[in-house]
Amino acid sequence: MSNTKPADPLRPHSSVVVDGNDRAPARSMLRAVGFTDEDFKKPQIAVASSASNMTPCNVHLGDLSEHAQKGINAAGGKAVYFNTITVTDGISMGTQGMRYSLVSRDVIADSIETAVAAEGFDGLVAIGGCDKNMPGCMMAIARLNRPAVFIYGGSILPGFTPGDCDHKKPLDIVSVFEAVGKHAKGEIDDKGLRDVEASAIPGPGSCGGMYTANTMATAIEALGMSLPNSSAQLAVGKEKREDCERAGAAVMAMLKKGTKPRDILTRKAFENSITVCLALGGSTNLILHLLAIAHSAEVPLTLADFKTIGDRVPLLADVKPFGKYGMAHLIRIGGIRPMMKILLDRGLLHGDVLTVTGETMAESLKDVQPYPSYPDQQDVIRPWDQPIKKDTHLRVLHGNLAPGGAVGKITGKEGLYFKGPAKVYESEEDALQGVLRGDVVKGDVVVIRNEGPVGGPGMREMLSPTSAIAGRGLIKDVALITDGRFSGGSHGFDVGHITPEAAKGGPIGIVRNGDLIEIDAVKNTMSLLIPDAEYASRLAAYKPLPPKETRGVLAKYARLVATASEGAVTDKYL
């Protein structure tokens, strides 16, 4: 090989690594992992997945990565795979380990960016199956800005207890959390709890409702960064394997056309993503993660954008956690694309944005068929004029308890207004025990603080206490507010992401037991109802708790992390 290194538009990065006599050591290393002379002439495409047998969401991703590699190689590229980490909220929820969950999103983004940039890959296929590795993949894709496609690992099938012979009561992971509350209440016995535990998770795939994983899969497809229907496929089956092979070919096509992620990740694309997810009943974590992805793509996006878009988007999907149906039911009637077509036809989507297929959004939706008729053929998706809620269920609230903003998931089924006395807890564990003991009663506003990005550190999800509240039959009678966040599986009158958090001197830190708190999801306000002079006096005297961690990844995270209202990113202030 010559020492000269002419520019190769199909190998802008790998050619620097492997071309020329001086790169013989690099080629020698690569020969040991299977490269041939011909492979050195091909674009190198990374396949990054979070495969592991730690979680059902990710246990099958190794197999899917092989299909993605097959698609890349068949299209003339050279696939090279690697894995990144993952953690699962379903296992660590309610423990101190959950502090690492949101942290893992940024570790995943950093690790993929590091591997792809260090090794000189020309493109990337990223495969995720959990709610943190998916935005982590997208943050890395946006930072790197090399041709890339995201693949969703797919949704899990519902589970059923042995006694449910007619399969009328589908189960998922939230069913197990809520069964714990029912057990504490005495509604089910030990055997009933074990039956739910042993049946709810039947195999591979992400949690089966419109929880955070399916919300983020929807968000990424609506951004234009995954192939059509990638977000609405089961984890098991040929459709998902074919999706992976097509994704490999799509990256090669992007490389040949010179299309990069930031050509797709425009302001209009983010508006599309928000719109689709709101109509489908997405998780509060959508806001946190889209803000982070937009930051990585250098696209301006704020909390106010979610409110503005939400004012004109009705909630149309009767999906879990607040509704009746899981993702498998939505897949059965057509997935998310008929909803996208509805929104496009009503002028609520930007049809001119680019997607990874090379088509515009409008072009990719032109042949999409509508959902079966409501209600005789399906009642998962409501007609436009019969919404569950006429505007968004994701409420962006402000007030003297959240000067920097807060986020609630309030569908209206829980009511739109709540006022009650505070029941204050300094951690999720304390709150859970309070609920299970019966300390929390009808009319209370449960306050869980020191669980924010800095205070946790790590901004844990409050699924255990919200599920215990539901299990004790108080879902419509108790509100819960926190500077932490909520699982996509939480439902009820819940408000999280309170900014500033207690650890940063936020007013949630001055709330006392018995203080009246008012939450208005129509006016979008959240207020501590004490005299102004008392409020000012308490805030002046308030001293946050000292840092919980002084070494390691959690301490590093706490020093770097931005507020929840800024996406809790770790590179904003660098």
Side-chain angles (χ1 to χ4, degrees), residues 337-358:
R337 296 190 74 74
M339 178 64 76
M340 294 171 70
K341 186 69 160 57
I342 291 169
L343 295 166
L344 177 69
D345 290 346
R346 288 187 170 270
L348 293 174
L349 287 191
H350 302 286
D352 58 342
V353 296
L354 188 63
T355 72
V356 291
T357 65

Side-chain angles (χ1 to χ4, degrees), residues 535-558:
Y535 178 94
S537 174
R538 288 192 199 178
L539 203 58
Y542 176 60
K543 289 182 172 51
L545 296 175
K548 293 177 185 173
E549 302 289 342
T550 58
R551 300 290 298 274
V553 67
L554 291 178
K556 181 165 57 176
Y557 182 84

Side-chain angles (χ1 to χ4, degrees), residues 8-16 42-46 78 116 119-124 145-148 251-252 255 260:
D8 185 339
L10 296 184
R11 299 191 303 125
H13 303 284
S14 64
S15 62
V16 176
K42 299 174 183 176
Q44 291 184 30
I45 309 297
K78 174 60 178 175
V116 172
E119 299 303 307
F121 295 122
D122 302 302
L124 169 65
N145 200 32
R146 302 179 188 187
V251 170
M252 289 299 296
L255 189 61
K260 296 181 180 179

